[in-house]
Amino acid sequence: MQFELFYFFLFILAFLYASVGHGGASGYLALMALYGIAPQEMKPTALVLNLFVSLTSFIQYYRGHYFKRNLFLMVAIASVPMAFIGGMITLEDHLYKRLLGLLLLFPIFRFFFFKSPAEDELKPYNSFGALVIGGIVGLLSGMIGIGGGIILSPFLILLKWTDQKQTAAISAAFIFVNSLSGLGGMLTKSISFNAHMWGYVVVAFLGGLLGAYLGSKKLKQDALKYVLATVLLVAAYKLLFTSA
């Protein structure tokens, strides 16, 4: 029953994350941590799941003409090499789970409190600021084993560089390239994948495919954001206050 519940929660997480333009690694990591999977298996496994789900999400939002290529390039130029470096860093299990719990607070605050800017509120992005943000997010992404979209997207919304769906498109592409880079950094060391990883990939891909399609075309994102934020709030609490 626990095994079946794991796959159910994995599908729901992939659906919710992809619907708002994310790969979902932070959610997959939280789920695996709560099920007692070792961090050395969690990180590479989550990044592989990220690749499939974020690519699916990006394609849907790109087709909707929400992708701002120049802004993406600015944040990605700095983030990709830093994600590679971060992937080479190994954290102690206790510190790893606490840091993951803290990073979950970024999307929680974004989904609960940050509203999408109206079109007339959008501002030109600052190139230097985009590089700095990209570099910091890339390093944290590689260290934890996430694509970084959950950290990047609140900055894009708060600075009013993008609206909600433009943020989703950039975040999805950002997650994909950082996941590849983070995996590359991990491959410089000895890593191990979870034995059930390809089963996870199938379930996450199906959830992500459905979520990306409905999120980019059909569903109202406000409701999806609040559901996902509530799920992440529970996960963050458990990681910060109940993990050993």
Side-chain angles (χ1 to χ4, degrees), residues 12 16 47 110 136 147 150 186 189 194 212 236:
I12 295 300
L16 290 171
L47 287 178
R110 179 219 160 176
I136 294 172
I150 63 165
M186 290 178 195
K189 308 174 70 173
N194 187 272

Side-chain angles (χ1 to χ4, degrees), residues 39-202:
Q40 60 266 29
E41 292 184 0
M42 288 165 50
K43 290 172 62 176
T45 300
L47 287 178
V48 171
L49 295 177
N50 244 12
L51 292 175
F52 286 89
V53 178
S54 63
L55 181 59
T56 301
S57 185
F58 171 71
I59 290 171
Q60 294 294 341
Y61 281 96
Y62 182 83
R63 287 176 175 174
H65 304 289
Y66 299 114
F67 186 55
K68 297 182 71 171
R69 187 188 309 271
N70 291 339
L71 176 54
F72 162 72
L73 290 174
M74 291 305 300
V75 292
I77 285 170
S79 71
V80 169
M82 295 304 290
F84 186 89
I85 294 171
M88 300 170 64
I89 299 172
T90 301
L91 301 174
E92 294 181 2
D93 290 2
H94 178 78
L95 177 60
Y96 176 84
K97 290 180 180 179
R98 294 297 186 269
L99 185 54
L100 174 58
L102 286 173
L103 291 180
L104 288 179
L105 298 178
F106 278 84
I108 291 170
F109 277 102
R110 179 219 160 176
F111 294 145
F112 274 136
F113 303 115
F114 295 175
K115 293 184 178 180
S116 176
E119 187 173 349
D120 59 356
E121 294 179 318
L122 294 178
K123 301 177 181 179
Y125 67 87
N126 178 279
S127 297
F128 178 74
L131 288 170
V132 171
I133 291 170
I136 294 172
V137 174
L139 181 63
L140 289 171
S141 300
M143 289 171 58
I144 300 300
I146 59 177
I150 63 165
I151 312 173
L152 175 67
S153 57
F155 284 107
L156 298 181
I157 293 290
L158 187 61
L159 294 170
K160 297 183 179 180
W161 289 349
T162 54
D163 63 23
Q164 192 162 290
K165 292 199 173 183
Q166 290 169 343
T167 299
I170 290 175
S171 293
F174 185 81
I175 289 164
F176 183 82
V177 297
N178 278 334
S179 296
L180 276 178
S181 183
L183 272 173
M186 290 178 195
L187 288 172
T188 63
K189 308 174 70 173
S190 177
I191 63 171
S192 57
F193 293 95
N194 187 272
H196 302 288
M197 184 184 71
W198 292 112
Y200 299 169
V201 167
V202 172

